[in-house]
Amino acid sequence: MTGAAVTLEFSVEKSFARPLTIEVAPAGPVVEGSFGRSTPHKHIVTGLEPGRVYFYRFVHDGERWPVGRTRTLPSGAVERWRIAEAPLALAATDGSL
Protein backbone atom coordinates (compact mmCIF):
# COMPACT_ATOMS: atom_id res chain seq x y z
CA MET A 1 0.00 0.00 0.00
CA THR A 2 1.93 2.98 -1.21
CA GLY A 3 1.00 6.26 -2.84
CA ALA A 4 -2.67 7.16 -2.43
CA ALA A 5 -4.38 7.55 0.93
CA VAL A 6 -5.66 4.50 2.76
CA THR A 7 -9.10 4.48 4.33
CA LEU A 8 -10.65 1.92 6.65
CA GLU A 9 -14.38 1.31 6.40
CA PHE A 10 -16.44 -0.24 9.21
CA SER A 11 -20.07 -1.32 8.99
CA VAL A 12 -22.56 -3.40 10.94
CA GLU A 13 -23.76 -4.79 7.60
CA LYS A 14 -21.59 -6.98 5.39
CA SER A 15 -23.02 -5.08 2.41
CA PHE A 16 -21.52 -1.80 3.75
CA ALA A 17 -24.83 -0.01 3.10
CA ARG A 18 -23.88 2.60 5.75
CA PRO A 19 -20.09 2.50 6.22
CA LEU A 20 -18.16 4.48 8.78
CA THR A 21 -15.04 5.68 6.95
CA ILE A 22 -11.81 6.41 8.82
CA GLU A 23 -8.66 7.90 7.30
CA VAL A 24 -5.65 5.78 8.27
CA ALA A 25 -2.40 7.63 8.83
CA PRO A 26 0.97 6.12 7.94
CA ALA A 27 2.72 4.70 11.01
CA GLY A 28 6.17 4.79 9.49
CA PRO A 29 8.22 5.38 6.37
CA VAL A 30 7.98 3.45 3.12
CA VAL A 31 10.01 0.26 3.51
CA GLU A 32 11.43 -2.17 0.98
CA GLY A 33 10.59 -5.79 1.73
CA SER A 34 10.30 -9.17 0.07
CA PHE A 35 6.83 -8.17 -1.22
CA GLY A 36 7.98 -4.83 -2.64
CA ARG A 37 7.57 -1.33 -1.29
CA SER A 38 5.01 -0.77 1.47
CA THR A 39 4.10 1.71 4.17
CA PRO A 40 2.98 0.52 7.60
CA HIS A 41 -0.37 1.99 8.69
CA LYS A 42 -2.19 1.85 12.00
CA HIS A 43 -5.17 3.50 13.58
CA ILE A 44 -6.85 3.14 16.93
CA VAL A 45 -10.55 3.01 16.15
CA THR A 46 -12.88 4.69 18.63
CA GLY A 47 -16.64 5.12 18.81
CA LEU A 48 -17.63 1.51 18.15
CA GLU A 49 -20.29 -0.11 20.33
CA PRO A 50 -19.15 -2.74 22.85
CA GLY A 51 -19.96 -6.41 22.22
CA ARG A 52 -20.92 -5.87 18.59
CA VAL A 53 -19.82 -7.55 15.35
CA TYR A 54 -18.42 -5.20 12.71
CA PHE A 55 -17.26 -5.77 9.16
CA TYR A 56 -14.26 -3.85 7.86
CA ARG A 57 -12.30 -3.33 4.68
CA PHE A 58 -9.42 -1.19 3.48
CA VAL A 59 -9.72 1.07 0.46
CA HIS A 60 -6.53 2.11 -1.32
CA ASP A 61 -6.29 3.99 -4.58
CA GLY A 62 -9.94 3.15 -5.37
CA GLU A 63 -9.46 -0.58 -4.76
CA ARG A 64 -11.52 -2.24 -2.03
CA TRP A 65 -9.81 -5.07 -0.19
CA PRO A 66 -11.65 -8.23 0.94
CA VAL A 67 -14.07 -7.80 3.84
CA GLY A 68 -12.95 -8.83 7.31
CA ARG A 69 -15.00 -9.37 10.46
CA THR A 70 -14.26 -8.40 14.04
CA ARG A 71 -16.09 -8.11 17.33
CA THR A 72 -15.57 -5.47 19.99
CA LEU A 73 -15.09 -6.45 23.62
CA PRO A 74 -18.21 -6.27 25.82
CA SER A 75 -18.62 -3.58 28.47
CA GLY A 76 -17.28 -4.30 31.93
CA ALA A 77 -14.74 -6.83 33.11
CA VAL A 78 -13.62 -9.53 30.70
CA GLU A 79 -12.04 -12.67 32.11
CA ARG A 80 -10.35 -13.77 28.87
CA TRP A 81 -9.98 -12.48 25.31
CA ARG A 82 -8.00 -13.16 22.15
CA ILE A 83 -6.54 -10.85 19.56
CA ALA A 84 -5.10 -11.52 16.11
CA GLU A 85 -2.92 -9.51 13.79
CA ALA A 86 -2.10 -10.12 10.15
CA PRO A 87 0.14 -8.08 7.87
CA LEU A 88 -1.74 -6.85 4.80
CA ALA A 89 1.45 -7.14 2.78
CA LEU A 90 0.80 -10.88 2.77
CA ALA A 91 -2.85 -10.60 1.68
CA ALA A 92 -3.69 -10.81 -1.98
CA THR A 93 -6.63 -8.81 -3.30
CA ASP A 94 -8.58 -12.05 -3.78
CA GLY A 95 -8.59 -12.57 0.01
CA SER A 96 -6.03 -15.37 0.12
CA LEU A 97 -2.98 -15.25 2.33
Side-chain angles (χ1 to χ4, degrees):
M1 287 189 185
T2 61
V6 175
T7 56
L8 175 59
E9 294 180 340
F10 274 87
S11 181
V12 295
E13 303 107 358
K14 192 172 184 177
S15 67
F16 284 84
R18 294 171 288 167
L20 166 66
T21 302
I22 301 165
E23 291 292 324
V24 181
V30 174
V31 294
E32 194 72 44
S34 57
F35 293 98
R37 295 172 56 86
S38 65
T39 304
H41 290 77
K42 78 173 188 177
H43 189 80
I44 297 177
V45 178
T46 60
L48 301 181
E49 294 180 32
R52 183 156 197 176
V53 171
Y54 286 92
F55 297 93
Y56 66 91
R57 65 185 174 196
F58 292 93
V59 181
H60 174 254
D61 203 18
E63 182 178 350
R64 288 187 162 80
W65 285 58
V67 174
R69 185 178 67 91
T70 190
R71 183 177 55 200
T72 55
L73 289 171
S75 295
V78 176
E79 184 178 316
R80 201 174 81 165
W81 55 276
R82 293 181 290 180
I83 190 168
E85 177 183 10
L88 286 177
L90 298 179
T93 55
D94 65 1
S96 63
L97 287 178

